[in-house]
Amino acid sequence: MDSLFRSLNKGSLAPVYYFHGPEDVLKDEAMRAILDRALDPSVRDFNFDQRSVGQLDAETIHTLCNTLPMLAERRVVLLRDIEAWKRKTAARSEFLRYLEHPSPETVVILVQGSAEDGEDKELAKGAYTVRFDALPPERASRWVLHHAGKLGLALEPDAVEHLVRSVGADLGPLASELAKLASLPADQPLTVEQVGELVGVRSGETQWDWRAAVLDDQSARAVTLLPALLGQPGVSGVKLVSLLGTALVGVGIARGLYDKGMRGGALDDAVLKTLFKHRPAGLLGYREEASRWTRWAPKWPPIRLRAALRAALETDQALKTTTVSDERGLLTELVLRLGVKKDEESGKGGRSGTSGKMTQTVSTKARQFAGHVLSVSIAVSALSACSARPTSAQTDPRLIDVIRSAQEGQGDSARAKVQRLLAATSPGDTLYPQIIYTQAMVASDAAEMRRQLQRVAVEYSSSNWADDALLRLVQLDYASGNLDGAARNLERIRRDYPGSALLPQAAYWAARTYFDQKKPELACRWIADGLAGSQGNVELRNQLGYLNQRCSSVLAAGPRPPADSQSPGVSAAGPDTTKPSPARTDTTTHPRSVTAVPAPTPTAAPAPSPGPPSPPAPTAARPDTARADSAPPGRRAGRSAPRFRIQITAVRTAAAAQSIIAKLKARGLRAMTVEENGLYKVRIGDYATKAEALAAVPEIKGKVGGNPFVVAES
């Protein structure tokens, strides 16, 4: 391919070109380059013929190839669907005779479809033959920049990388996504956040991030990434296992060289040489892969690699043979098995023992550790980005010991300790809600964690741990896709605990929740409050500031309401400092400073909430309010359950949207348009649950192409 473009740049033209291979977009670009070189635009219509060979007979082939150009030096004939010439036909025989003595005034371009991968030897023998393979990721990124420039589209470097990693290096889908992005009104280069919003894959939630989390021993993060990954178009359990399996083989290659004494640049070069020798497909750039494999090699000794490959093989077989598909469960089990290191790795037992015993040991430890990881992976790992409370916040040494035991993989022991402590403590003791909260943190599964957190939030709503419990419930709901539940608990934190030191952290989760719900105004209000109250937390301010970049279009749409019309939240002076943090001395009621935040006036605007306006903050437990807040979607007054649709594209004009709707109708799909932020978003379907919508995405993608994704409409 590179040689072809170099020859065209020099002005050279061959009489016959034969293009084959899987990358159709590059074939079309090469064809356009030949047309530009061979024909004057003013007479192109007279000297260009494009046909499908399946519709041609021998006489037509002879006429097309031997007709003289009109008012020009050359003419171009483009013959598509060459794979139809598999068998001997009169038209094929005629063209083979033409190949022996091609006309000097005609340039013939033969294009074979990507479905037929093999080369036609007879055609290749008499033509300038080029195979168009898929580009490696680094070249795909350069192609994206080049193609975006043609569309008048500017992308930040990180946005280009995220687009390629989200969509893949297949240029067809990349071109489709770039066309969508080009419809956005943008005065500045598009950011990662903007690209992720339209593509439907957020930064940090790609299959490559999941693979890195597994091989970096970040099991909790790998587990929490699975729901988002499996909801993405084109991502399946088998694909993830294949990606991981390839990486494990690569790490095994690097480890073999590592054990021979190679280090540093020599190790990187040796692994890179192996990659270039075998050229495996479906990876990142070879240099980046070599660097990653050599970095992972020290922590993956041979005995662990063998166990990991065996586990990956078993998972792959289970995914392909099970009659009841539970991809998430099987992948979670795989992550847990790979995340547990054997005692032999640290020198206990060396390489002795059979591989069967090794697998049994790994599986046993995985089961012992699974309860702990499943219960805290969503809450604790999610807090790595915005930690609500470090484990040292447990004020009782016995509870600190419980948390430490759970973190070390002794989940059963931790649960037994906290249960004994709970039985020995009176429900009226101020330590009691803290014990229940700790019991939630070491629960054996997410359901038990949720039950204990709800006990703290409802039965001990005036304790120092109620807002912590609500924030953890927000994270559980967000991770499981229950955005309505997350929104309800967020508004409970704002309404019932206006002086909470956790409001800035809650703002981070509120921003993510409301952006996902397509409610940017509410998200941006929370972000503003969070930034006002997070002066002492640089990491949190950076994260909120990053999300705040998405609020520029919201602010442009209209001014933000005055400060006195905001709902109770974090004041400009910051969170209430009368609440002890991080370590507390529990009391029966929250020591709140209500005067730090002005109370809403009768004319104030309602709080940004998916429910009714919020009442003033309570001073005592209010189980009736808790019950109303925890009611399922659609049961509360003035609310209806959200519906889910599949978004096809977003365009800048109503006319363009109607044109797309007409094309979809011709394919048997009924579509509608939603106007948001100056864009016309074309959507189809009406599903009661997100799961139903996600299940329909593959069929829709097969009909319309691109990368359709699910959106919620309240």
Side-chain angles (χ1 to χ4, degrees):
M1 181 182 69
D2 293 333
S3 298
L4 168 66
F5 284 106
R6 282 195 296 268
S7 68
L8 293 176
N9 288 334
K10 294 177 181 178
S12 301
L13 284 169
V16 180
Y17 292 93
Y18 170 40
F19 297 160
H20 67 100
E23 190 47 82
D24 287 333
V25 172
L26 291 177
K27 295 175 193 173
D28 289 340
E29 289 187 356
M31 178 268 293
R32 286 193 293 270
I34 292 173
L35 283 173
D36 291 341
R37 174 59 61 185
L39 299 179
D40 186 321
S42 62
V43 293
R44 177 173 294 186
D45 292 342
F46 300 107
N47 295 295
F48 176 51
D49 279 296
Q50 180 176 197
R51 303 291 183 89
S52 172
V53 299
Q55 303 170 357
L56 304 180
D57 55 23
E59 183 180 352
T60 305
I61 287 288
H62 177 81
T63 301
L64 284 171
C65 295
N66 291 284
T67 298
L68 294 175
M70 180 180 294
L71 304 175
E73 294 182 5
R74 298 183 186 87
R75 64 190 308 271
V76 176
V77 177
L78 176 63
L79 300 179
R80 293 189 179 273
D81 308 320
I82 296 301
E83 60 272 20
W85 273 351
K86 289 181 181 178
R87 290 177 292 186
K88 296 279 186 181
T89 63
R92 175 188 172 93
S93 299
E94 177 62 32
F95 187 78
L96 290 175
R97 284 193 292 272
Y98 173 80
L99 276 179
E100 297 175 3
H101 302 286
S103 169
E105 292 88 8
T106 303
V107 176
V108 179
I109 308 173
L110 307 173
V111 180
Q112 182 172 294
S114 58
E116 183 67 32
D117 191 57
E119 179 186 76
D120 188 312
K121 301 298 184 183
E122 287 185 310
L123 295 177
K125 183 170 60 176
Y128 187 124
T129 303
V130 184
R131 177 178 173 83
F132 291 88
D133 286 308
L135 295 179
E138 63 271 16
R139 293 197 65 177
S141 296
R142 294 200 295 272
W143 181 91
V144 166
L145 284 172
H146 176 72
H147 193 69
K150 290 183 177 180
L151 296 173
L153 175 65
L155 297 168
E156 291 184 352
D158 289 346
V160 174
E161 180 182 352
H162 178 63
L163 180 62
V164 173
R165 294 193 177 188
S166 301
V167 179
D170 189 344
L171 301 189
L174 281 174
S176 175
E177 294 300 332
L178 286 173
K180 294 180 187 177
L181 292 170
S183 67
L184 291 175
D187 298 330
Q188 297 180 343
L190 296 181
T191 65
V192 172
E193 284 291 321
Q194 290 172 308
V195 170
E197 180 72 20
L198 196 61
V199 174
V201 181
R202 283 192 295 263
S203 178
E205 295 183 354
T206 68
Q207 57 187 332
W208 308 104
D209 296 302
W210 177 80
R211 184 189 71 166
V214 174
L215 293 171
D216 280 329
D217 288 326
Q218 298 176 0
S219 301
R221 170 168 168 73
V223 170
T224 58
L225 281 174
L226 285 173
L229 278 174
L230 294 174
Q232 294 172 9
V235 177
S236 66
V238 171
K239 183 175 182 179
L240 291 176
V241 173
S242 298
L243 180 70
L244 181 61
T246 303
L248 287 170
V249 172
V251 174
I253 293 170
R255 180 68 194 211
L257 298 169
Y258 180 89
D259 288 340
K260 292 179 180 179
M262 283 192 179
R263 298 292 188 274
L267 179 59
D268 284 346
D269 291 342
V271 174
L272 184 61
K273 183 177 180 181
T274 303
L275 277 167
F276 277 117
K277 178 181 179 181
H278 297 283
R279 295 189 176 276
L283 298 176
L284 298 173
Y286 285 169
R287 292 189 183 279
E288 183 175 354
E289 289 287 1
S291 176
R292 287 172 179 253
W293 293 355
T294 56
R295 178 171 62 82
W296 288 323
K299 62 176 71 172
W300 287 85
I303 191 170
R304 188 182 181 197
L305 279 168
R306 284 194 291 271
L309 284 166
R310 188 175 294 109
L313 175 61
E314 292 171 1
T315 303
D316 181 71
Q317 292 171 338
L319 286 167
K320 292 175 179 176
T321 59
T322 182
T323 56
V324 181
S325 178
D326 183 13
E327 292 185 319
R328 182 177 173 184
L330 291 170
L331 290 169
T332 298
E333 182 180 355
L334 173 64
V335 170
L336 296 176
R337 289 178 66 180
L338 268 59
V340 179
K341 300 180 181 179
K342 284 179 68 344
D343 289 340
E344 285 84 341
E345 293 178 28
S346 58
K348 299 177 183 178
R351 297 175 179 267
S352 61
T354 65
S355 61
K357 290 181 179 179
M358 173 191 67
T359 305
Q360 184 177 4
T361 302
V362 173
S363 299
T364 302
K365 288 193 174 185
R367 286 193 296 270
Q368 293 172 348
F369 192 49
H372 168 65
V373 172
L374 283 174
S375 62
V376 303
S377 61
I378 295 173
V380 176
S381 176
L383 285 176
S384 62
C386 178
S387 180
R389 178 189 305 281
T391 56
S392 60
Q394 263 69 19
T395 56
D396 191 287
R398 294 168 295 179
L399 295 178
I400 294 174
D401 180 61
V402 168
I403 293 295
R404 184 179 296 113
S405 296
Q407 290 175 336
E408 293 173 354
Q410 302 171 10
D412 291 340
S413 174
R415 287 186 286 275
K417 289 178 183 178
V418 76
Q419 186 60 42
R420 287 194 297 268
L421 186 57
L422 192 67
T425 306
S426 168
D429 194 306
T430 57
L431 186 63
Y432 202 81
Q434 185 180 352
I435 298 174
I436 299 176
Y437 181 88
T438 307
Q439 191 176 34
M441 293 302 96
V442 300
S444 59
D445 55 62
E448 177 64 12
M449 172 186 274
R450 182 182 294 277
R451 190 175 72 84
Q452 300 299 349
L453 289 173
Q454 288 173 338
R455 282 190 64 192
V456 177
V458 176
E459 299 175 19
Y460 298 90
S461 59
S462 59
S463 75
N464 259 13
W465 295 88
D467 51 349
D468 297 78
L470 283 172
L471 185 55
R472 297 288 178 135
L473 286 169
V474 166
Q475 293 155 357
L476 284 170
D477 284 330
Y478 182 87
S480 62
N482 182 13
L483 299 181
D484 281 343
R488 285 195 298 273
N489 284 322
L490 283 162
E491 297 309 325
R492 285 188 63 192
I493 296 174
R494 181 194 285 276
R495 181 186 66 236
D496 293 351
Y497 307 102
S500 173
L502 300 182
L503 277 170
Q505 283 81 16
Y508 171 82
W509 293 101
R512 296 188 67 178
T513 298
Y514 286 127
F515 276 134
D516 286 359
Q517 284 188 321
K518 311 301 180 186
K519 298 176 180 178
E521 296 84 4
L522 299 184
C524 294
R525 291 179 188 176
W526 271 93
I527 289 173
D529 290 339
L531 287 170
S534 60
Q535 289 88 347
N537 189 332
V538 176
E539 182 179 0
L540 177 58
R541 285 186 64 81
N542 289 339
Q543 290 166 338
L544 288 170
Y546 187 77
L547 291 171
N548 194 42
Q549 298 177 33
R550 301 170 65 176
C551 294
S552 57
S553 59
V554 178
L555 293 175
R560 188 167 177 256
D564 59 359
S565 67
Q566 297 300 303
S567 62
V570 179
S571 68
D576 177 16
T577 56
T578 63
K579 180 180 178 182
S581 177
R584 301 175 177 176
T585 303
D586 286 305
T587 58
T588 304
T589 60
H590 258 309
R592 308 288 183 189
S593 175
V594 182
T595 58
V597 180
T601 64
T603 59
S609 165
S614 304
T619 57
R622 293 168 47 208
D624 56 332
T625 302
R627 285 194 297 272
D629 284 332
S630 60
R635 299 280 183 88
R636 295 171 62 187
R639 285 186 55 80
S640 60
R643 306 296 295 179
F644 297 89
R645 301 185 192 275
I646 298 174
Q647 182 161 314
I648 304 300
T649 188
V651 294
R652 284 185 289 187
T653 65
Q658 289 304 316
S659 174
I660 294 171
I661 288 175
K663 293 177 181 178
L664 292 172
K665 184 177 180 181
R667 300 188 184 190
L669 299 171
R670 296 184 61 183
M672 47 87 71
T673 303
V674 176
E675 185 178 0
E676 291 180 351
N677 300 326
L679 292 176
Y680 295 86
K681 300 181 178 181
V682 180
R683 297 171 180 172
I684 62 175
D686 185 10
Y687 306 92
T689 66
K690 186 176 182 179
E692 292 178 11
L694 288 172
V697 167
E699 181 182 356
I700 299 301
K701 183 177 180 180
K703 291 183 178 181
V704 304
N707 279 302
F709 59 92
V710 175
V711 296
E713 293 183 358
S714 57

